[in-house]
Amino acid sequence: MQCRIGCGACCIAPSISSALPLHPNGKPAGVRCLHLDAGNKCTIFLHPSRPAVCSGFQPTEDACGSTDAEALAILAEWERLTG
């Protein structure tokens, strides 16, 4: 599956425990990453400071559903179940 450009669900729903340049203590679940631009594109996508957890995420239908809203709901539920 190709990532839906502008979705941003994987940058909002999950918590990120790794430090990011604008989130030195990680990012809480449900909080929009400060590295998302107005079009929900990651501004550090190709930067070496992008955490491995972010670069390792691979979009799949079971994680991302068929819409941006569905992706956000699925990933938020996974976070709730594992958090």
Side-chain angles (χ1 to χ4, degrees):
M1 174 177 181
Q2 292 286 344
C3 184
R4 284 188 301 274
I5 304 302
C7 173
C10 61
C11 302
I12 299 169
S15 60
I16 298 174
S17 58
S18 306
L20 294 98
L22 296 176
H23 297 278
N25 298 313
K27 183 198 80 65
V31 172
R32 180 183 173 81
C33 181
L34 296 174
H35 294 285
L36 283 179
D37 67 14
N40 279 349
K41 293 180 184 172
C42 178
T43 61
I44 61 169
F45 190 79
L46 297 176
H47 196 272
S49 63
R50 183 175 177 223
V53 68
C54 297
S55 59
F57 180 80
Q58 297 298 310
T60 61
E61 193 170 332
D62 64 324
C64 302
S66 58
T67 67
D68 300 352
E70 191 175 358
L72 190 57
I74 291 168
L75 295 176
E77 179 65 5
W78 287 5
E79 178 69 25
R80 186 188 70 73
L81 292 171
T82 60

